[in-house]
Every structure is written in structure tokens, then in C-alpha cells.
Amino acid sequence: MPRLLLFSRDRSGLDPASATADRWRLLVREGQELVFMVLSPISSEWSEPGLRVIGSGGSVLLVRLVRAYLRSRRMGVFDLLSAQDPLELGLLALWFGKKQRIPVEIQDHGGFFDDQPNGEPYWWVRRWLVQLARRQADVIRTVSPYSQQNLKKMRKPSVSYWLPIAPHDRFRD
């Protein structure tokens, strides 16, 4: 049975009645197990067949990252790691994947690979993290067609794909 570990920041997924939890349920396929490690001050968890959601706990980001790493390590072997962003979660996934010899997918939900400054504080540090993730990840999934074009030009990683997120009905108008 394939096991996938996904690092996320989406705290709403810690509530099994949330829309996020419902979306995560859609990802579960028969015969596979998804484990979501959510970086959050909350350390609660819930599970059902094929799906386990765990809050890392910790009051500051560094503590959450260390707890997520340690908790993930105790859960056994995974077939794939996926990080919701190429920044802190991406670094965590790359580090964990290298230690455990597991392929790593980095998700780009914010156009990080567009190679355009976005006005965020410390963008230069974030840009360095993005380039590190680009070079080290086995696969990159992006929602931005511009990021996909840029990744194809750079040819690293060898596998990248564009998978847009369907717009929510409330934005239709």
C-alpha cells in the first residue's frame, strides 16, 4: 500500500468537519494512505481509513518544523513526500526526503517559480529557498502557467507539471 506524506500549513484541515478535510478526503484512493503533517501551534490529530491528519504543535516556526520532522520520522517509511510550498515546508521535505531516501514533490501555489519579486519582506531569502527547492526536488507541481514555462526553460527538475486549482464558485462573478 503506497504511503504519502504531505507537509501543509492549512490549519483548517485539523478539523475533520472542514472543507479542507473534505478536499483531502477526495485525494484518498483505495489502497493508499495519506498522512498530512500540518505545521500548527495545535498538536491535535484525527484519522479515518486512508487518511491521517496531525498537527505538529509548537509556538514558533522552528519548533513546529523540528516537531514535524521528528513525528514524521517515527511514522515509518513513505513512498513520496509532498510539500505545499517551496519555502520552509519545501526545506523540511527536502531534508526529510534526503535522510529517508524518498522522492520529494514541491508544490507551487504562489507563483514562486515565476522568477518575479512579489514584494514580500525578505524576498531575497525566499528566492534562494525557491532556487534550492527547484534544483533538489524530484518533481514540481505548479498552479501558475508562467512558473511552468520558466521551469521548462531551466530543465531542472526534469519533471514538472501544471495543475491549476479550480476556482471556487464564490469567485464566479
Side-chain angles (χ1 to χ4, degrees):
M1 170 165 64
R3 293 185 77 214
L4 288 76
L5 174 61
L6 300 101
F7 291 114
S8 176
R9 290 185 191 278
D10 199 339
R11 295 177 189 174
S12 63
L14 293 170
D15 175 5
S18 70
T20 299
D22 287 341
R23 190 177 75 242
W24 289 350
R25 285 181 183 99
L26 293 174
L27 298 173
V28 175
R29 304 266 190 265
E30 192 172 322
Q32 92 179 16
E33 180 186 357
L34 296 179
V35 177
F36 281 88
M37 179 63 66
V38 181
L39 263 66
S40 165
I42 302 164
S43 60
S44 67
E45 69 178 83
W46 61 272
S47 65
E48 55 190 45
L51 180 62
R52 184 174 177 194
V53 179
I54 303 163
S56 64
S59 57
V60 295
L61 178 62
L62 182 60
V63 171
R64 291 180 201 148
L65 288 166
V66 169
R67 285 185 178 178
Y69 175 81
L70 293 173
R71 290 189 84 175
S72 298
R73 199 175 73 187
R74 288 192 298 263
M75 284 191 274
V77 177
F78 292 95
D79 299 300
L80 176 71
L81 299 178
S82 186
Q84 192 179 33
D85 69 48
L87 303 172
E88 295 90 355
L89 294 177
L91 277 182
L92 175 61
L94 290 167
W95 185 37
F96 188 80
K98 188 171 210 96
K99 292 273 187 193
Q100 304 292 321
R101 294 189 174 120
I102 304 168
V104 175
E105 174 191 64
I106 300 292
Q107 299 177 31
D108 171 23
H109 294 267
F112 289 105
F113 298 99
D114 288 355
D115 204 29
Q116 299 295 317
N118 64 6
E120 287 186 23
Y122 304 108
W123 172 246
W124 61 273
V125 174
R126 291 177 169 259
R127 187 174 182 177
W128 178 81
L129 292 173
V130 166
Q131 294 309 316
L132 177 68
R134 180 184 59 79
R135 288 189 304 272
Q136 298 296 318
D138 297 291
V139 178
I140 294 178
R141 176 192 141 212
T142 183
V143 301
S144 164
Y146 303 110
S147 287
Q148 178 62 14
Q149 289 171 359
N150 208 23
L151 286 165
K152 281 185 177 185
K153 281 189 248 174
M154 294 181 215
R155 296 186 181 189
K156 186 70 174 137
S158 58
V159 178
S160 64
Y161 63 102
W162 177 51
L163 184 63
I165 297 173
H168 194 282
D169 285 342
R170 69 182 172 152
F171 299 114
R172 185 173 293 182
D173 297 328

